[in-house]
Amino acid sequence: MISPSTHASHQTPVPEAHGLVDAFGRVHTDLRVSVTDRCNIRCRYCMPLDVTFKPREELLSYAEITRVVSVAAGLGVRSVRLTGGEPLVRRDLQKLVRDLRQIKGIDEVALTTNGLLLGQQARQLAEAGLSRINVSLDSLREETFREIARSDGLAQVLAGLAEAKRVGLQQIRLNAVSIRGLSEADVVPLARFARQEGFHLRFIEFMPLDADRQWSQLHVLSGREVRGMLEEAFGPLKPVAGHDGGQPAADYRYTDGATDAAVSLVGFIDPVTQPFCERCDRLRLTADGQFRNCLFSTEEWDVRHLLRTGGDDAAIVSLIRACVAQKRAAHGIGTPTFERPERAMYQIGG
Ligand code: SAM
Ligand code: SF4
């Protein structure tokens, strides 16, 4: 494993970093790093049932990821979120967490997981210094879970969540994708569960990134509609002032006094009906070493090639800057010019 302090041989002096500011003034401080395209389930809004994964040698090694994140940190990236595919299927993920935590400038290393392997790995991830964790959970009903994930596993996810809580992982958040005709019956039970457990819950609108290409606007159950269902069950929700900063989600508190209002937030990520592109501070690195400036980017910048052909840090800096410079104002879902990226969610990293 190359630690940030031991790859000096690659380094040529990099000019004093200026932030990663794009043509629209957006400053990029958040990097989503996918560590694999593999997964232990097959959510229908993400992966195909019959899938061919990238050969392992095409994926960046942990040493390569650490090197790229070190360079990005020099350019103002402050938080890293590990994702996939399912990040916990990649061996020894805690080692990567530990190495990333040691990079000067990186304040936070977070994880998005389906939770299936959390029961086994929560403790070592916490010990490695994982800052936050998002666990995807769309339904508390076994049958619906199976229908979405095309696999069993609800009990395992719930056990993983319990273990994450037990080992003291902070800021556990549940992510639920809402799909019209499928998710309505889960909205209130998920909220009840999150309130009871003290988890922050976020509903995410279904985006056109499913490998099966079944997405249509008609399948989007909007954040506004979900909020309406919650208000009917729990009373008015109050927006959390100033909570959305660079965050895509609008967070709300319950006002019925039944929960600890400080922890039981509920949020809505509405990329389809309420795009937050003007506040987007994210960059993405795919598992096979491609930089992207948007989930819906149709262009990629190949850092793996640079890494494997002796590129120095200055070359990586130029590549990241070029990627940022060409970020579009908005993804344009729903507009006539919208173009779906070729890759699906599991190949990009959500
Ligand atoms: N396997 C991990 C997981 O499921 O949490 C991490 C990767 S997954 C691609 C990241 C997030 O993207 C998950 O919360 C998942 O629900 C969400 N997601 C996947 N496909 C989506 C889609 N088409 N629209 C909206 N969210 C999606
Ligand atoms: Fe796997 Fe996550 Fe995609 Fe579901 S959403 S198939 S858990 S990568």
Side-chain angles (χ1 to χ4, degrees):
M1 171 80 52
I2 298 178
S3 79
S5 55
T6 58
H7 66 263
S9 61
H10 294 286
Q11 285 181 333
T12 51
V14 173
E16 184 58 30
H18 303 290
L20 291 168
V21 188
D22 71 9
F24 304 92
R26 294 170 295 198
V27 183
H28 293 77
T29 56
D30 185 270
L31 179 61
R32 309 268 144 152
V33 176
S34 172
V35 297
T36 182
D37 57 346
R38 284 159 208 264
C39 189
N40 39 8
I41 55 177
R42 298 284 181 275
C43 303
R44 56 177 67 246
Y45 48 64
C46 176
M47 264 201 187
L49 205 45
D50 186 14
V51 55
T52 309
F53 296 115
K54 294 259 172 204
R56 277 176 206 282
E57 62 275 12
E58 288 187 19
L59 305 189
L60 294 190
S61 67
Y62 286 169
E64 288 171 325
I65 293 173
T66 304
R67 179 162 173 228
V68 174
V69 173
S70 305
V71 174
L75 295 170
V77 165
R78 295 290 164 259
S79 63
V80 174
R81 177 170 292 277
L82 301 176
T83 180
E86 171 48 39
L88 297 187
V89 302
R90 182 138 175 198
R91 199 172 306 148
D92 296 332
L93 191 74
Q94 78 283 357
K95 290 190 182 162
L96 179 64
V97 171
R98 187 166 284 121
D99 285 350
L100 296 180
R101 284 295 281 168
Q102 283 164 17
I103 295 174
K104 188 163 164 270
I106 297 297
D107 303 329
E108 175 178 291
V109 178
L111 173 74
T112 300
T113 172
N114 63 26
L116 282 162
L117 297 173
L118 206 47
Q120 290 105 290
Q121 298 185 35
R123 177 171 295 284
Q124 60 211 40
L125 288 165
E127 286 169 2
L130 189 72
S131 320
R132 297 159 172 264
I133 185 159
N134 286 1
V135 178
S136 302
L137 180 62
D138 304 320
S139 177
L140 291 163
R141 295 175 295 162
E142 188 69 62
E143 207 180 300
T144 314
F145 183 98
R146 203 178 299 120
E147 189 179 342
I148 295 172
R150 300 186 281 199
S151 164
D152 287 330
L154 176 60
Q156 228 175 302
V157 177
L158 296 178
L161 276 168
E163 180 65 1
K165 210 169 153 180
R166 208 176 62 77
V167 303
L169 272 170
Q170 300 297 312
Q171 312 202 49
I172 301 173
R173 190 190 285 155
L174 302 181
N175 281 345
V177 177
S178 21
I179 300 178
R180 188 177 305 286
L182 190 62
S183 312
E184 289 85 345
D186 292 298
V187 168
V188 170
L190 278 171
R192 234 177 239 127
F193 173 69
R195 279 158 54 106
Q196 180 189 312
E197 296 291 326
F199 298 147
H200 183 169
L201 172 63
R202 276 182 175 173
F203 290 95
I204 309 174
E205 286 178 352
F206 180 25
M207 291 181 268
L209 288 169
D210 54 320
D212 294 340
R213 297 190 169 242
Q214 295 299 305
W215 183 92
S216 100
Q217 289 271 7
L218 299 175
H219 295 135
V220 179
L221 179 63
S222 71
R224 179 188 289 265
E225 291 171 273
V226 173
R227 201 169 83 222
M229 293 175 201
L230 293 175
E231 292 199 313
E232 214 164 281
F234 303 108
L237 296 175
K238 192 173 163 217
V240 178
H243 199 267
D244 59 2
Q247 288 285 321
D251 283 324
Y252 290 76
R253 289 187 204 294
Y254 297 96
T255 55
D256 60 356
T259 57
D260 178 348
V263 290
S264 284
L265 298 177
V266 60
F268 305 92
I269 304 183
D270 302 340
V272 180
T273 64
Q274 303 279 321
F276 40 85
C277 303
E278 77 280 0
R279 285 178 282 123
C280 177
D281 64 353
R282 293 179 179 174
L283 291 176
R284 292 169 194 277
L285 177 61
T286 65
D288 58 347
Q290 309 301 304
F291 260 96
R292 300 173 64 90
N293 54 29
C294 178
L295 266 178
F296 297 95
S297 187
T298 48
E299 214 180 324
E300 297 183 333
W301 285 261
D302 187 356
V303 79
R304 186 186 66 195
H305 177 73
L306 267 187
L307 292 166
R308 296 186 182 176
T309 54
D312 62 12
D313 287 1
I316 300 174
V317 166
S318 301
L319 179 140
I320 300 174
R321 286 204 183 284
C323 170
V324 170
Q326 287 180 56
K327 182 155 168 161
R328 287 174 300 178
H331 56 54
I333 298 174
T335 66
T337 53
F338 176 67
E339 201 186 327
R340 255 191 81 141
E342 260 171 43
R343 302 223 220 190
M345 189 65 120
Y346 74 101
Q347 298 165 309
I348 301 171

